[in-house]
Amino acid sequence: INICGIPFDNVTMSEAITLAENELQKKGASVVVTPNAEIAEMCVEDESIHQTIASAEMVLPDGAGIITAAEILGTPLKEKVAGVEFGMELIRHAEKHGYSLFFLGGKPSVAETAAERLKATYKNLKIAGTHDGYFTKTGTENDAVIEEINVSNADILFVCLGAPMQEIWSMKNRESLTSVRLIACLGGSLDIYAGTAKRAPKIFIKLRLEWLYRLLREPKRLGRMMKIPKYLRYVKKAAKRKE
Ligand code: UDP
């Protein structure tokens, strides 16, 4: 379903995992992105970010803002497929099918802690390696990170550098990755898996107020978050034009 130029996959969580498995069967590294309304607004404002997001093999609707936008346009999506939950399902799928994972992103030790905590629950999970997200994204430092991922022989790579950096990095480097067949761009998910950040309580999610919970915990997000109402105003105008 095309929402103002972003081609979202209209899938349930289990269908998203089926799509991911199809991508894992292909050669080369496919990219999964999970745009929310903030990222969708960045796409409106910046054509190069739009191109990056729209060229991913899988585009999953993260966040109540995207679900609302789809409703406004009269083309509702089946359900929200939040990146952090998709990542968890992918971890379970990887454990079951023997795929190995590499976690890239977060502050030093976050990816390692996430790996340790997950391995305590999912005993057969294969973590091929981890690396924090604070490295120079070009030149020799970047080459060394790519080399580390390639040597680890990982099948699935989680890239958690925040948007749009993680999507740009993934598109730029996908062809240098020799073993990875699926790259999942998952924002702050490693912080959640590591326990350094908390997901909003279910009631906030149900009421489509996850943004409010995040804002209360991190007031400095206010500037970024103003993109959400801005995006919805843009979508409403687009819906009027369609009438
Ligand atoms: N991050 C990183 N490298 C950077 C900048 C950010 O690894 O150069 C990480 C940061 O530590 C955090 C994540 O990227 O874990 C971004 O989280 P946020 O919740 O802002 O992302 P969102 O899901 O909202 O895009």
Side-chain angles (χ1 to χ4, degrees), residues 17 47 75 117 134 144 152 172 242:
I17 294 297
E47 182 52 26
T75 50
R117 286 188 65 177
Y134 293 82
S152 83
K172 222 173 100 194
K242 252 175 76 175

Side-chain angles (χ1 to χ4, degrees), residues 121-134:
T121 310
Y122 302 99
K123 305 277 182 238
N124 297 320
L125 187 65
K126 291 189 210 159
I127 304 285
T130 61
H131 197 287
D132 71 76
Y134 293 82

Side-chain angles (χ1 to χ4, degrees), residues 9 29 48 54 65 77 118 120-121 148 181 183 186 209 236:
D9 293 307
S48 76
L77 286 156
L118 289 163
T121 310
E148 209 180 311
R181 275 161 295 142
I183 305 175
L186 297 174
L209 290 173
K236 276 183 193 148

Side-chain angles (χ1 to χ4, degrees), residues 36 38-39 62 104-107 110 131-135 137 160-167 186-191 214 218 221 224:
N36 56 18
E38 264 173 58
I39 304 171
D62 184 336
L104 176 65
K107 298 210 172 98
V110 166
H131 197 287
D132 71 76
Y134 293 82
F135 58 95
K137 311 294 184 298
C160 300
L161 306 171
M165 195 202 296
Q166 57 196 10
E167 289 82 7
L186 297 174
S189 298
L190 291 177
D191 293 302
R214 296 186 90 175
E218 285 178 78
R221 293 183 88 97
R224 284 177 57 174

